[in-house]
Amino acid sequence: EDQVTQSPEALRLQEGESSSLNCSYTVSGLRGLFWYRQDPGKGPEFLFTLYSAGEEKEKERLKATLTKKESFLHITAPKPEDSATYLCAVRGGKLIFGQGTELSVKP
Amino acid sequence: GAVVSQHPSWVICKSGTSVKIECRSLDFQATTMFWYRQFPKQSLMLMATSNEGSKATYEQGVEKDKFLINHASLTLSTLTVTSAHPEDSSFYICSGGAGAYNEQFFGPGTRLTVL
């Protein structure tokens, strides 16, 4: 059975304090790993697609990496506006979401 | 990225009434659209997959007679919650596939409250 587990469930950072979010997965035939950002009361906003182990993608303060078992979302020098829930999803057959990591960045 | 809209953004209705939610892909054509629901502090749960011009495929445990889905065109899918009850209150989100790798792009969601 395809599974996605994100950790930690919640993360509190000070502004400028870099950290990483983890997404561990098991899937039969990975057809993509996706990272989304979701603000309260809104739909998920697409961030990255990763397809093969060793792949990396960057966008502003965010960098996503992928291995055969997990993906990391690295946040460098975060700002308060980076506060949101970050969702990881994998596609084997259908798209399966993890529970998300709620990130809070304090000034 | 591709843009998806939903209407309405929120709705309050009485128990027993039906509510229709529209999902539109604004700048791309979506052969397939997806409907999710999300409870507070929980992740997205796929309800059904909507294919243009054919019947939707529902996930296990989702009542197809209660959640009617119509995908009339490549840019419009609708979800009708029939005879809504308070337990149907939730955040409903649609998405459409686009891009080189068929990434899913999500709408802003619809907050349904059934009194």
Side-chain angles (χ1 to χ4, degrees):
Chain A
E1 182 181 340
D2 297 348
Q3 274 191 323
V4 181
T5 303
Q6 290 187 247
S7 61
E9 290 186 8
L11 181 62
R12 293 185 178 183
L13 299 174
Q14 288 296 126
E15 184 172 2
E17 180 186 2
S18 301
S19 188
S20 297
L21 312 181
N22 178 264
C23 171
S24 298
Y25 65 92
T26 54
V27 63
S28 302
L30 180 68
R31 292 165 53 200
L33 184 142
F34 307 88
W35 282 98
Y36 291 87
R37 167 190 172 131
Q38 187 176 25
D39 292 295
K42 296 188 178 181
E45 174 191 346
F46 172 76
L47 293 174
F48 302 110
T49 305
L50 300 167
Y51 273 89
S52 55
E55 190 175 0
E56 298 183 352
K57 295 243 178 114
E58 287 188 66
K59 180 180 179 180
E60 297 180 353
R61 294 177 292 281
L62 301 177
K63 179 181 177 180
T65 62
L66 180 66
T67 72
K68 289 185 178 181
K69 295 183 178 180
E70 57 191 352
S71 175
F72 291 94
L73 183 65
H74 306 278
I75 303 177
T76 302
K79 298 181 178 181
E81 52 262 41
D82 295 323
S83 298
T85 295
Y86 290 85
L87 298 169
C88 169
V90 296
R91 177 183 292 145
K94 67 183 88 171
L95 196 63
I96 298 174
F97 281 86
Q99 293 297 314
T101 293
E102 186 175 353
L103 175 65
S104 174
V105 182
K106 300 298 183 184
Chain B
V3 181
V4 177
S5 70
Q6 279 185 243
H7 178 80
S9 56
W10 59 271
V11 57
I12 301 172
C13 68
K14 293 182 178 180
S15 185
T17 61
S18 294
V19 174
K20 179 184 283 189
I21 302 170
E22 289 188 351
C23 175
R24 293 182 184 272
S25 55
L26 299 184
D27 54 1
F28 67 101
Q29 293 185 328
T31 306
T32 304
M33 285 186 172
F34 304 86
W35 286 95
Y36 295 81
R37 66 188 296 182
Q38 186 178 34
F39 292 104
K41 298 293 185 181
Q42 295 188 24
S43 194
L44 284 75
M45 183 187 78
L46 180 65
M47 298 175 65
T49 302
S50 165
N51 294 293
E52 187 263 338
S54 63
K55 290 184 178 180
T57 302
Y58 291 82
E59 295 299 302
Q60 191 172 9
V62 178
E63 300 175 59
K64 61 181 180 181
D65 294 330
K66 181 168 189 61
F67 299 99
L68 302 180
I69 292 173
N70 182 273
H71 195 154
S73 74
L74 289 173
T75 60
L76 173 64
S77 177
T78 61
L79 168 68
T80 301
V81 183
T82 62
S83 186
H85 292 285
E87 57 265 30
D88 298 322
S89 298
S90 188
F91 191 52
Y92 292 87
I93 313 173
C94 70
S95 71
Y101 299 104
N102 199 30
E103 294 92 340
Q104 283 193 31
F105 293 89
F106 288 83
T110 297
R111 172 72 59 192
L112 170 63
T113 302
V114 184
L115 302 177

